[in-house]
Amino acid sequence: MISIEDVEHVARLARLALSDGEKEMFRRQLSDVLEHARAISEVDTTGVQPTSHALPLVNVFREDEVKPSLAQGEVTGNAPWATQGAFKVPRII
Amino acid sequence: MSIIHEDALQIASAIKRRELSSIEVVEAFLDRIEKVEPEVKAYINVAADTARKRAAHLDRMIADGEDAGALAGVPIAIKDVLSTRGFPTTCGSRMLEDFVPVYDATAVDRVYRAGTVMLGKANMDEFAMGSSTENSYFGPTVNPWDLDRVPGGSSGGSAAAVAAGEAPWALGSDTGGSIRQPASLCGIVGMKPTYGLVSRYGLVAFASSLDQVGPMTRNVRDCAALLGVIAGHDPLDSTSIQGEVPDYHAGLNGDVKGLKAGVVRELSSKGIEPAVKALFDQTLSKLEEAGVACEEISLPSFEYALSAYYLIAPAEASSNLARFDGVRYGFRSPEEVDDVWEMYDRSRSEGFGGEVKRRIMLGTYALSAGYYDAYYAQAQKIRTLVVRDYARAWEKFDILVSPTSPSTAFRLGEKVDDPMTMYLSDICTIPVNLAGIPALSLPCGLADGLPAGFQVMGPPLGEMKLLNVAYALEQEIGFKQRPGL
């Protein structure tokens, strides 16, 4: 049902580098799950609104006040690579 | 008394009466952890030193006559998906192996303010994705009732710790059954509150429209007390419900006479193991003896709830887990790379385990161009039908009931290579999360030496009713067995 090309396309969107073994495994397993999930297409949902959330939420506002925040060292403390208050990454362009 | 087998509120009152000190209690649990943990493996990290220091501090406060909180000195286990300031929070993932949060989750902050002492962070399926705790990067937890079997998941470490006497109670999280199913498989009480009743601030997000923090305890009274501590509005969570929270513990009276229970046909017949079904039927009789009228109801959309869930939850997860990019926190691949894109790809591929990658792939697929309408949008419409089916049920019934899990604890390795079979073990618990309603699992007996759970579901904010039904039923059932560990 799903091809290796589909798996490669989705992996690119999800920013995952998969081995050939993983690609084949996911092709098989995702096909299984989607085959099962296809049952939902049998249901007539004409005129049914989608539910994205269990609560009837409206925008939640608060005053825009300055409050104490985390220290810079705390914010960068968990980064794999940070210097002088900045996150370091490999070449971008 | 043997401290490790007492329930949490009994420990709280013994400390209050100064028959026990907090440090004695903490030492008793740390001893127990040392003894059984090599087999059970319920914790990812045990907080022995900080627990001892905090217990000693609380004992001094109590000796000085200060108010140390309603639960002063009582230990607790916390699922490793909740942020604990200054103490590692791994989510069972290599991605967060070295992550040390800079703030406490609101639920954690509230249990601390009540005076509890954190014993450690409980094991879980990676990022709460799984039904057996076998997906933890740190290795599986086993079921204290049978060490060859799984404790359920994803809050399997929390459930096993409570069942094995390694903690009197615990916090878990539930996205599709992750509190109730392990509670069922380990013979304890577990509750998923109404969506929005407990703050999600500091809960590492899996599927934000479904995730909820809840109590895992040895009995209903403890469950009511712990829920009372963690429930209530939090300005730090924009999906938190406003309004007063009842005193669940004080409101516990077991008065259920005249209530009506609907037995959900779609969750209690097809695919339920015969031994589990037999215990469920016996429990229905006990519910009737307690004064609750039971009658079957059909909620047809539930046939499709599992499929809808396994599109919606992965879709939300694929978006939530995009934040793990090896930049601000978490794992970064040590491999030499040419550019930032390769760094992202490698860090995510090496940092995430198989199940997490599977769900990210599934969710990304369901959201991608060409498949969105057929999968994700249709699943959200099914979600509407589930909400409507429940609404229809509340017109006639006060509560709904079903088994919590279609089986008792299965063997380690039995389902781990077959995702679809594993997903089916959540069949009874999932509709509750889609509708955001509260539900509770109560131990209802043993089948071949393994516990089974009875699920009680209620309308939004119906926690008090659920707890009273469970309280009355608990007395009828009289489940007192413990694992022979």
Side-chain angles (χ1 to χ4, degrees), chain A residues 15 17 29 49 51 78 88, chain B residues 100 332 345 349 358 384:
Chain A
R15 298 240 67 96
Q29 292 173 339
Q49 291 299 310
T51 296
N78 272 299
K88 287 196 83 169
Chain B
V100 181
R332 179 185 289 191
D345 289 1
S349 303
R358 189 155 34 247
T384 304

Side-chain angles (χ1 to χ4, degrees), chain B residues 193-311:
Chain B
T194 302
Y195 184 86
L197 183 64
V198 180
S199 170
R200 291 183 298 111
Y201 181 72
L203 169 71
V204 179
F206 161 14
S208 305
S209 81
L210 305 165
D211 298 340
Q212 190 62 190
V213 179
M216 303 179 75
T217 62
R218 297 210 177 124
N219 62 35
V220 176
R221 215 165 60 99
D222 280 1
C223 183
L226 189 50
L227 179 67
V229 169
I230 59 176
H233 181 252
D234 176 15
L236 298 173
D237 174 0
S238 62
T239 61
S240 170
I241 296 173
Q242 305 263 1
E244 282 299 300
V245 172
D247 184 336
Y248 301 110
H249 182 221
L252 219 50
N253 54 24
D255 182 12
V256 295
K257 289 221 167 23
L259 291 186
K260 286 184 190 159
V263 181
V264 182
R265 182 191 300 159
E266 286 75 10
L267 305 183
S268 54
S269 46
K270 203 172 66 182
I272 309 294
E273 264 180 15
V276 172
K277 175 74 175 141
L279 280 171
F280 177 70
D281 289 341
Q282 285 170 28
T283 311
L284 281 183
S285 311
K286 289 174 181 153
L287 194 56
E288 296 216 305
E289 280 162 32
V292 178
C294 300
E295 192 186 314
E296 193 178 72
I297 179 171
S298 173
L299 302 172
S301 70
F302 286 19
E303 296 276 359
Y304 304 96
L306 186 97
S307 292
Y309 173 87
Y310 275 102
L311 294 167

Side-chain angles (χ1 to χ4, degrees), chain B residues 332-348:
Chain B
R332 179 185 289 191
S333 171
E335 300 290 323
E336 194 70 33
V337 294
D338 289 336
D339 58 24
V340 75
W341 303 104
E342 196 183 346
M343 187 279 284
Y344 291 154
D345 289 1
R346 282 183 174 272
S347 300
R348 290 167 60 78

Side-chain angles (χ1 to χ4, degrees), chain B residues 445-474:
Chain B
L446 297 178
D448 294 328
L450 296 170
F454 186 83
Q455 179 172 238
V456 189
M457 299 165 265
L461 298 176
E463 277 80 2
M464 194 67 252
K465 206 186 298 183
L466 289 192
L467 287 162
N468 270 319
V469 169
Y471 191 59
L473 201 47
E474 184 178 51

